Amino acid sequence: MNVYDVKRRAFGEDAWSFPADDETLPQGPAAITKAQFLRDREALLARNAPLGLVLVAGETFDGIENDLNRFDLIALRFLRYADGRPYSLARLVRERHGFKGELRAIGDVLRDQITLMLRAGFDALQPTHEGTIAALRDGKIVTVDHYFQPATREERQEGGYAWRRRPA
């Protein structure tokens, strides 16, 4: 499946594979579940290929906090568009844990959520909703350019007024 790169504002081929917990990992980049990472931690960290982590809404970073910056990708799966827990995880991993790698939203992502996802720190999207995919592909996502409050995403503040924050 293609992935939407927020910085390039375009879809591109996905270099990552997402094998099931009982499958053998491929030679290249692979994203695994938290359970698999905890079970095979030493072998996975010794692996000579990029490693990603997939978390589902409801999972936390408990037990893997010290390893978060060893991942090149953290993918947060939205099971339902109405579930906001991945937003909290995104902000936590960016602000509290200083994660600098790719942060990807996967699953039931709707076009109305994209502005908030970007502010929470997501920089890649892998939606399953056909309307959202079409809107992203056609450049029909409208975002807000001025903000009152600071966010995870890099912003510049023009002048001394909080409402003059703009995406960098």
Side-chain angles (χ1 to χ4, degrees), residues 11-166:
F11 279 97
E13 287 294 319
D14 191 4
W16 290 88
S17 63
F18 296 81
D21 280 357
D22 58 347
E23 289 182 33
T24 303
L25 295 184
Q27 295 294 321
I32 58 170
T33 64
K34 178 181 174 182
Q36 185 177 6
F37 179 74
L38 290 172
R39 185 186 66 224
D40 303 328
R41 181 184 179 279
E42 297 306 320
L44 291 167
L45 292 179
R47 188 171 174 266
N48 193 19
L51 187 63
L53 176 69
V54 179
L55 290 180
V56 178
E59 290 186 304
T60 67
F61 297 119
D62 293 349
I64 58 172
E65 302 95 336
N66 295 330
D67 294 316
L68 289 175
N69 284 315
R70 295 177 180 220
F71 295 105
D72 298 295
L73 163 77
I74 294 180
L76 302 177
R77 189 174 301 278
F78 285 76
L79 299 176
R80 293 184 11 222
Y81 71 89
D83 192 342
R85 293 175 290 182
Y87 290 96
S88 300
L89 288 174
R91 191 135 187 185
L92 279 174
V93 75
R94 289 286 192 211
E95 291 182 357
R96 186 177 298 169
H97 301 291
F99 180 71
K100 301 291 184 203
E102 179 181 328
L103 185 59
R104 185 184 300 186
I106 295 178
D108 196 15
V109 172
L110 301 182
R111 64 189 295 173
D112 297 344
Q113 299 171 295
I114 292 176
T115 296
L116 297 174
M117 288 180 168
L118 301 182
R119 297 210 73 216
F122 287 101
D123 50 17
L125 307 170
Q126 194 171 347
T128 56
H129 183 257
E130 291 299 325
T132 301
I133 293 170
L136 286 166
R137 185 182 54 241
D138 298 340
K140 293 184 176 176
I141 301 295
V142 178
T143 58
V144 178
D145 291 334
H146 292 83
Y147 307 110
F148 287 104
Q149 300 162 334
T152 298
R153 197 168 181 204
E154 207 172 295
E155 297 172 344
R156 64 178 188 272
Q157 187 170 341
E158 299 172 358
Y161 301 104
W163 53 270
R164 289 186 175 168
R165 289 189 175 92
R166 299 180 56 113

Side-chain angles (χ1 to χ4, degrees), residues 4-10 100 123-124 153:
Y4 185 79
D5 182 336
V6 172
K7 291 179 184 164
R8 293 186 318 108
R9 295 181 181 242
K100 301 291 184 203
D123 50 17
R153 197 168 181 204

